[in-house]
């Protein structure tokens, strides 16, 4: 996404990835003769995933990434455990082990480390606003994790995914046109290469995989294990984009790794 944003504006990039992802999954279902309209009981999940997890989470992350390094963006946008845990415990009586409490506490410490006054310039409104967008994106995804876990649907994640992506693209495209003007993709080889990965792989496959897992695992476990994504993103940003990992990023990533280890390991 960070590379692609050098060749297209954030809202058009988000709309494009979901349009391509939806096309891939619709083609897959047609070939397997499994294409079905969502049932009435599926519509709340189609709306919440399509509008919150896909549209809002992705658009906010893309906008923020135009002002922040990829490594920091990856970590802050995956702070979902902080939002998921209290709701899962209070509203859904989810049982949290001592190890999971330790894991969540470490994730919270990581966020505090990343937002401390020495890590970001609190006088720069663009940087502060970008960090705020990433935290808002993580809260939107937290709602979806809880909805997938406790709001059962008759259809599977892969059956609903193309409709959710179609909804996200249908809302994002006019928003992109109003905010950013006509389509901004520059048509270079790098642009098409980024879209070829982000559309079929990072969107069509990964959203299906994550949502299928979210329906089967406790919400607290899903949100904590997903913290492996930003740690990987940080490592790749250093290796591929030559980003310099600051002390706060290293400490935050270390706390997340320990949190994952504590949460994922069974007693």
């Amino acid at each position: 996404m960070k590379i692609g944003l050098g060749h297209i504006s954030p809202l058009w990039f988000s709309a494009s990835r979901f349009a391509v992802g939806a096309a891939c999954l619709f083609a897959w279902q047609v070939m397997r003769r499994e294409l079905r309209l969502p049932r009435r009981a599926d519509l709340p999940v189609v709306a919440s995933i399509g509008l919150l997890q896909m549209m809002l989470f992705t658009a906010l992350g893309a906008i923020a990434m135009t002002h922040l390094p990829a490594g920091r963006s990856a970590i802050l946008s995956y702070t979902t455990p902080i939002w998921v845990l209290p709701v899962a415990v209070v509203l859904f009586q989810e049982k949290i082990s001592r190890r999971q409490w330790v894991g969540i506490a470490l994730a919270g410490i990581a966020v505090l480390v990343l937002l401390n006054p020495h890590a970001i310039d609190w006088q720069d409104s663009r940087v502060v606003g970008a960090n705020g967008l990433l935290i808002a994106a993580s809260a939107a995804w937290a709602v979806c994790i809880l909805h997938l876990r406790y709001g059962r649907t008759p259809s599977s994640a892969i059956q609903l995914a193309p409709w959710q992506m179609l909804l996200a693209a249908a809302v994002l495209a006019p928003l992109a046109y109003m905010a950013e003007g006509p389509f901004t993709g520059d048509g270079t080889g790098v642009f098409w290469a980024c879209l070829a990965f982000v559309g079929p792989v990072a969107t069509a496959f990964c959203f299906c995989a994550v949502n299928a897992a979210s329906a089967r695992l406790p919400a607290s476990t899903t949100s904590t294990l997903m913290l492996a994504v930003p740690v990987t993103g940080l490592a790749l940003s250093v290796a591929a984009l030559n980003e310099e990992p600051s002390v706060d990023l290293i400490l935050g990533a270390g706390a997340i790794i320990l949190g994952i280890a504590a949460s994922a390991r069974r007693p």
Side-chain angles (χ1 to χ4, degrees):
M1 286 178 64
K2 184 68 175 179
I3 295 171
L5 287 169
H7 301 268
I8 186 173
S9 55
L11 292 180
W12 274 119
F13 193 21
S14 301
S16 299
R17 70 178 291 182
F18 287 115
V20 173
C24 290
L25 288 178
F26 277 129
W28 171 259
Q29 291 186 1
V30 168
M31 286 190 297
R32 294 170 60 89
R33 298 182 180 179
E34 294 175 351
L35 182 62
R36 301 286 186 276
L37 285 170
R39 305 179 191 179
R40 178 171 294 185
D42 295 323
L43 296 181
V45 169
V46 171
S48 69
I49 302 302
L51 297 177
L52 292 180
Q53 182 188 11
M54 294 182 178
M55 186 201 79
L56 194 59
F57 176 85
T58 303
L60 292 179
I63 294 169
M65 209 175 294
T66 61
H67 301 293
L68 297 174
R72 177 175 293 275
S73 300
I75 289 179
L76 278 178
S77 60
Y78 280 84
T79 53
T80 48
I82 296 172
W83 314 107
V84 168
L85 180 68
V87 179
V89 172
V90 174
L91 292 186
F92 300 106
Q93 287 78 52
E94 194 167 293
K95 301 299 182 182
I96 307 296
S97 69
R98 184 175 299 176
R99 288 182 179 275
Q100 288 176 307
W101 280 115
V102 171
I104 298 298
L106 288 168
I109 290 171
V111 174
L112 292 176
V113 168
L114 292 169
L115 294 179
N116 80 84
H118 297 288
I120 65 173
D121 182 3
W122 286 86
Q123 304 301 315
D124 189 332
S125 59
R126 292 184 306 169
V127 172
V128 173
N131 281 277
L133 289 179
L134 292 175
I135 293 175
S138 73
W141 192 8
V143 173
C144 294
I145 289 177
L146 291 164
H147 194 184
L148 283 167
R149 176 59 178 168
Y150 297 105
R152 299 297 183 183
T153 61
S155 301
S156 68
I158 196 168
Q159 288 175 320
L160 298 181
W163 301 102
Q164 294 160 343
M165 292 177 190
L166 181 63
L167 174 61
V171 176
L172 280 167
L175 285 177
Y177 188 85
M178 290 187 291
E180 300 170 348
F183 184 71
T184 57
D186 61 10
T188 61
V190 175
F191 164 72
W192 290 114
C194 288
L195 190 58
F197 174 77
V198 172
V201 182
T203 302
F205 167 70
C206 288
F207 274 96
C208 288
V210 170
N211 290 343
S214 297
R216 291 169 171 79
L217 294 172
S220 57
T221 301
T222 302
S223 60
T224 305
L225 290 177
M226 285 303 296
L227 290 171
V229 175
V231 174
T232 306
L234 175 60
L236 289 174
S237 71
V238 173
L241 303 178
N242 298 317
E243 291 184 2
E244 293 289 338
S246 59
V247 174
D248 66 292
L249 275 179
I250 294 172
L251 291 175
I256 287 172
I257 291 171
L258 292 174
I260 294 171
S263 299
R265 184 166 177 262
R266 289 189 177 277

